Structures are given as structure tokens and as C-alpha cells.
Amino acid sequence: MRRLLSPIRLLPAVLLAYMACQPRPATPIVFAPWEEGLTLAYEDPSLPQPLQSARRMQVRVAHTSLGPGGPSLIQLDLTSSRGQMTVLLRPHDSGLDVVEASGRVLAMALPAHFPETTHWADRHTECMVIGRAAWEGASILPATSDPVGIWVEARASQAARRRTLFLPNLGEVETREERDGNWIVVNRLVARGFTDLPTRKRP
């Protein structure tokens, strides 16, 4: 005769089965580079060579603070022939702020709940989501990267309209500027890889 398991012994198994059936919260999408060591290179195709290569901009993820919901603070080191600078990004609620080391917000790169939030303004610039599209330059990305991003149009007073394509885990991959009724590419991701900082020699 088979023995029946008591309800107390069945409880752990029931709880495990219940937890397995519950929907897991999705990892929030970050529309910015955040993997440490990830290095991106940008060029302005509207410039003639060799000026185009000479003004190449390198963006490297120097450090990322990770929290339970994903990246909480991203340090980007920007390098070009004109010099170097550091930018701090704070992702939150699928949005993105540019902040100081103290945490004070300098600018809103993307609003909270992007891209569901389709219209916003930051200082003298009005932005709106145009729609989704696959990036034409996605051949430089690994096969695991999502090539579909969000186009955002920015309108600033006394400045040409700009449209930027943001991809998950990369951020800006292409920006176009309206010139004489045409949309000209003025910034494009041309290289992606991982680099390490030089190791300091101990005295």
C-alpha cells in the first residue's frame, strides 16, 4: 500500500511550482553602452577625408555600477584629437540622465519610460519618438545584438533638426541633420570592440 505524503511535506514542492509559473520581471533596456571595456568609435561621414578619420571620436565604458535592476551609473571616457572628457550617465526607468559626480542632473538624454514616452523637452530642445527601425550599419555588430532601435527627432531653437537612432545596450549609433531639405548623416558608429586600460607598472 502506497503512503500518502502529508500536506506539510508537499508544501515546498507546491511553492517551487508556483514560483516557476510566475512571470519574471523583464530586465530593463538601457539605451546606452554599459559593459565595462566596451569601446565604440564614431565618425562624421559628411566630412571629407582625411578629416573624417582625424576627428574620429572614441567612447569607452570605463566603469559601470550594477544594481538589482541593472546598471545604475555608467562612466564613459570620450577621446578625440581635440582632447578627452568623462561623462556620467544614470539609467532609470528606461530613461537616461547625464549627471555630475555629486548626482546632480545636468541634462536628460532620454526620458523615463522611453520609448513609451513619445514627447519631452529638455531646456531649449523638444524631442519626439519617430518610430522603430533596423539600423543599416548593423553588420559591424555581433549576431547577438538587436539591430532594431528607436529614432528620435530633436528640435532646438536656432538649430537644424536632428534625428538620432538609439539601439539597446549601445545608445546612439547614427545621427542625421536636416540640411537644405535633405537628411545628412553627421555621426555614425563605425567600430565596436572591447579594450582594456594599460596596466600600470608598480615601482
Side-chain angles (χ1 to χ4, degrees):
M1 183 176 179
R2 300 176 64 180
R3 297 180 60 186
L4 296 177
L5 293 175
S6 68
I8 294 178
R9 292 186 178 181
L10 281 174
L11 185 59
V14 172
L15 287 175
L16 286 174
Y18 174 79
M19 294 300 294
C21 293
Q22 294 305 300
R24 297 181 179 179
T27 302
I29 297 176
V30 179
F31 285 91
W34 60 270
E35 297 176 273
E36 288 190 2
L38 179 61
T39 304
L40 310 175
Y42 295 86
E43 290 184 0
D44 181 352
S46 69
L47 296 174
Q49 290 288 13
L51 192 58
Q52 180 176 324
S53 298
R55 291 191 178 180
R56 172 180 283 209
M57 170 72 72
Q58 178 178 288
V59 178
R60 183 182 183 277
V61 182
H63 178 70
T64 298
S65 299
L66 294 174
S72 58
L73 188 66
I74 305 167
Q75 177 186 329
L76 301 180
D77 288 345
L78 283 60
T79 306
S80 72
S81 59
R82 299 179 178 181
Q84 299 179 345
M85 66 178 297
T86 295
V87 174
L88 295 177
L89 302 177
R90 184 173 65 198
H92 64 95
D93 302 320
S94 298
L96 202 63
D97 287 336
V98 181
V99 299
E100 290 183 333
S102 63
R104 185 173 73 91
V105 177
L106 299 174
M108 179 175 63
L110 294 173
H113 310 296
F114 176 81
E116 285 73 20
T117 301
T118 57
H119 292 80
W120 67 94
D122 184 54
R123 293 170 173 79
H124 302 293
T125 302
E126 295 185 1
C127 303
M128 67 176 180
V129 171
I130 298 176
R132 297 179 181 271
W135 185 39
E136 297 174 353
S139 59
I140 70 169
L141 305 179
T144 54
S145 292
D146 187 353
V148 178
I150 309 294
W151 278 106
V152 172
E153 181 172 297
R155 299 185 181 187
S157 58
Q158 300 180 346
R161 286 191 299 168
R162 285 197 164 203
R163 291 179 175 177
T164 299
L165 182 63
F166 293 90
L167 256 58
N169 304 317
L170 285 175
E172 177 186 358
V173 294
E174 184 171 307
T175 294
R176 301 176 182 180
E177 184 176 275
E178 187 180 28
R179 297 179 181 175
D180 299 324
N182 298 312
W183 289 99
I184 308 300
V185 179
V186 295
N187 197 39
R188 176 181 285 157
L189 179 66
V190 295
R192 174 199 178 280
F194 285 85
T195 58
D196 296 323
L197 288 175
T199 302
R200 294 185 178 179
K201 296 182 179 180
R202 295 183 180 180

